[in-house]
Amino acid sequence: MTTDEKISAACRTAMQAELSAPAELRIREAIQDELSRVNDAPPKPIMTIREVAAYLRVNADVVAESLHEVPCFEFGGQILFRNEAVDAWIARREKKFAYDVMEFDAHHELLPRPRAVTPATTNA
Amino acid sequence: MESMSDEELMDRFCAGNTAAFQVLFDKYKNRVFRFVIGVHGPDTARAEDIAQETFLRVIRNRDRFNPGMRFTTWLYTIARNVSLNEIRKRPRDPVQAACPPDVTVPDDRHPDAARALAATELGDAIRAAVAALPEPLRTVFVMREVEGLSYGQIADVTGRREGAVRTQLHRAKQQLKQTLTLYLDDSHDN
């Protein structure tokens, strides 16, 4: 083993360290406080893709794939969203969804109901 | 959720899943703590505070995480920045700065006793020697030799080219070699 390798091996051993249990508990509590502030924070008037994703409770990829649909604008090399515009877009989707459900229900009534298959009508 | 990559977990966290952040914390809590001790110094209480601040900054700045970047690169960058800020705030101790690390040289007249002494003090000697390295060398050494990061990742964290990182690592090892050779020859050659 060369001196360099000895130094590396000795350092890896000597520099091992773990958080003590009380310290870990204290950090977890601080993290919980911070996370609760994150969850309670009001939405910002201008949001990034990630903020919109968090707002809509989907992954950022889903928002990125829906840029043709979600109202957004480009500024400073990044895609941004006005919170009000996103809310208006959500409202339009709600109306459309409600209409789609009504249409489906109406269509569904026209479909022949599937016949129930009972043991008595089946020929083994 | 444990089987997800760090970047997938970060994506989930950014989408509002706080459990994803807990997985990341469990995975990296000790690595961040160890890294901070290596960069900032062996003051355990301060290192705990810095580790805490690192994870809080991950939460606060989650929207700035670049999905094209490795999570560990971003995490170590934050940990390094917080550590260096703390070092800058620390009042300078001219006596400590002027003195070399407190390394006891083994006694050649009593090899066994010297070996035992070396074994018990080797850890302290190494930590003191690493802490005495100038900052860029210390960070690069800890990231490469203790944390096992690639040269590319270290270059990203420190904002230097890979060639410069290799040079700094070499210089760090040379300095440590000068300080620790007597210890390592005596305690590790058997």
Side-chain angles (χ1 to χ4, degrees), chain A residues 3-4 6-8 11, chain B residues 100-106 122 125-126 128-130 132-134 137 141 169-185:
Chain A
T3 308
D4 271 6
K6 282 181 194 174
I7 288 173
S8 299
C11 286
Chain B
D102 183 19
V103 177
T104 310
V105 177
L122 179 62
I126 287 172
V130 171
L133 288 172
L137 308 191
F141 180 81
L169 181 67
H170 178 72
R171 285 172 55 200
K173 283 183 176 178
Q174 288 298 112
Q175 289 196 24
L176 288 174
K177 201 188 288 183
Q178 285 176 3
T179 315
L180 298 170
T181 293
L182 282 175
Y183 263 98
L184 294 167
D185 284 349

Side-chain angles (χ1 to χ4, degrees), chain B residues 6-78:
Chain B
D6 297 340
E7 292 71 29
E8 286 172 328
L9 286 168
M10 201 55 204
D11 208 33
R12 289 286 179 99
F13 173 50
C14 290
N17 185 341
T18 53
F21 181 80
Q22 300 290 357
V23 176
L24 287 169
F25 173 73
D26 284 337
K27 191 172 176 183
Y28 288 106
K29 61 188 179 193
N30 286 325
R31 288 184 65 174
V32 166
F33 179 61
R34 198 166 54 216
F35 173 73
V36 168
I37 281 188
V39 174
H40 180 267
D43 180 345
T44 308
R46 292 302 302 142
E48 289 167 358
D49 289 346
I50 294 169
Q52 174 177 313
E53 182 60 23
T54 299
F55 285 106
L56 294 182
R57 285 195 188 191
V58 169
I59 295 172
R60 289 175 197 142
N61 297 306
R62 62 198 180 284
D63 297 324
R64 295 186 190 174
F65 173 64
N66 176 2
M69 184 189 243
R70 287 180 68 166
F71 172 72
T72 46
T73 303
W74 191 57
L75 181 66
Y76 281 115
T77 303
I78 293 173

Side-chain angles (χ1 to χ4, degrees), chain A residues 17-117:
Chain A
E18 284 191 2
L19 275 174
S20 65
E24 185 181 330
L25 185 64
R26 183 167 54 80
I27 295 175
R28 280 187 190 281
E29 285 172 356
I31 286 172
Q32 277 305 329
D33 285 350
E34 193 67 31
L35 289 176
S36 62
R37 269 196 288 276
V38 167
N39 291 335
D40 295 341
K44 299 170 186 171
I46 301 291
M47 299 187 284
T48 63
I49 283 188
R50 286 183 173 276
E51 285 165 340
V52 169
Y55 190 54
L56 298 175
R57 297 185 180 278
V58 296
N59 284 341
D61 289 346
V62 176
V63 179
E65 287 165 7
S66 309
L67 290 180
H68 60 284
E69 195 182 339
V70 188
C72 58
F73 62 100
E74 187 270 338
F75 186 71
Q78 62 175 336
I79 304 293
L80 297 170
F81 303 76
R82 251 183 343 110
N83 185 276
E84 284 180 5
V86 173
D87 281 345
W89 171 75
I90 292 170
R92 286 198 297 276
R93 272 185 77 93
E94 283 172 339
K95 282 181 190 168
K96 185 174 185 309
F97 179 72
Y99 174 77
D100 287 347
V101 170
M102 284 168 59
E103 191 180 46
F104 174 79
D105 279 351
H107 182 63
H108 189 69
E109 287 295 320
L110 296 175
L111 291 175
R113 293 186 181 278
R115 282 192 303 178
V117 179

Side-chain angles (χ1 to χ4, degrees), chain B residues 51-177:
Chain B
Q52 174 177 313
E53 182 60 23
T54 299
F55 285 106
L56 294 182
R57 285 195 188 191
V58 169
I59 295 172
R60 289 175 197 142
N61 297 306
R62 62 198 180 284
D63 297 324
R64 295 186 190 174
F65 173 64
N66 176 2
M69 184 189 243
R70 287 180 68 166
F71 172 72
T72 46
T73 303
W74 191 57
L75 181 66
Y76 281 115
T77 303
I78 293 173
R80 175 175 177 261
N81 290 342
V82 179
S83 300
L84 296 185
N85 285 343
E86 285 298 319
I87 289 172
R88 284 187 203 107
K89 283 186 210 165
R90 205 162 49 187
R92 283 180 180 274
D93 182 350
V95 177
Q96 192 179 10
C99 292
D102 183 19
V103 177
T104 310
V105 177
D107 186 350
D108 290 340
R109 292 168 297 179
H110 305 286
D112 289 342
R115 192 169 290 121
L117 177 69
T120 53
E121 292 188 352
L122 179 62
D124 289 341
I126 287 172
R127 284 186 284 274
V130 171
L133 288 172
E135 193 289 309
L137 308 191
R138 187 169 68 244
T139 306
V140 167
F141 180 81
V142 170
M143 281 195 283
R144 178 65 187 167
E145 298 299 332
V146 181
E147 294 302 314
L149 267 64
S150 70
Y151 288 109
Q153 273 191 292
I154 297 171
D156 287 340
V157 171
T158 58
R160 296 183 176 89
R161 285 196 295 270
E162 276 192 40
V165 169
R166 287 175 192 274
T167 305
Q168 287 181 332
L169 181 67
H170 178 72
R171 285 172 55 200
K173 283 183 176 178
Q174 288 298 112
Q175 289 196 24
L176 288 174
K177 201 188 288 183

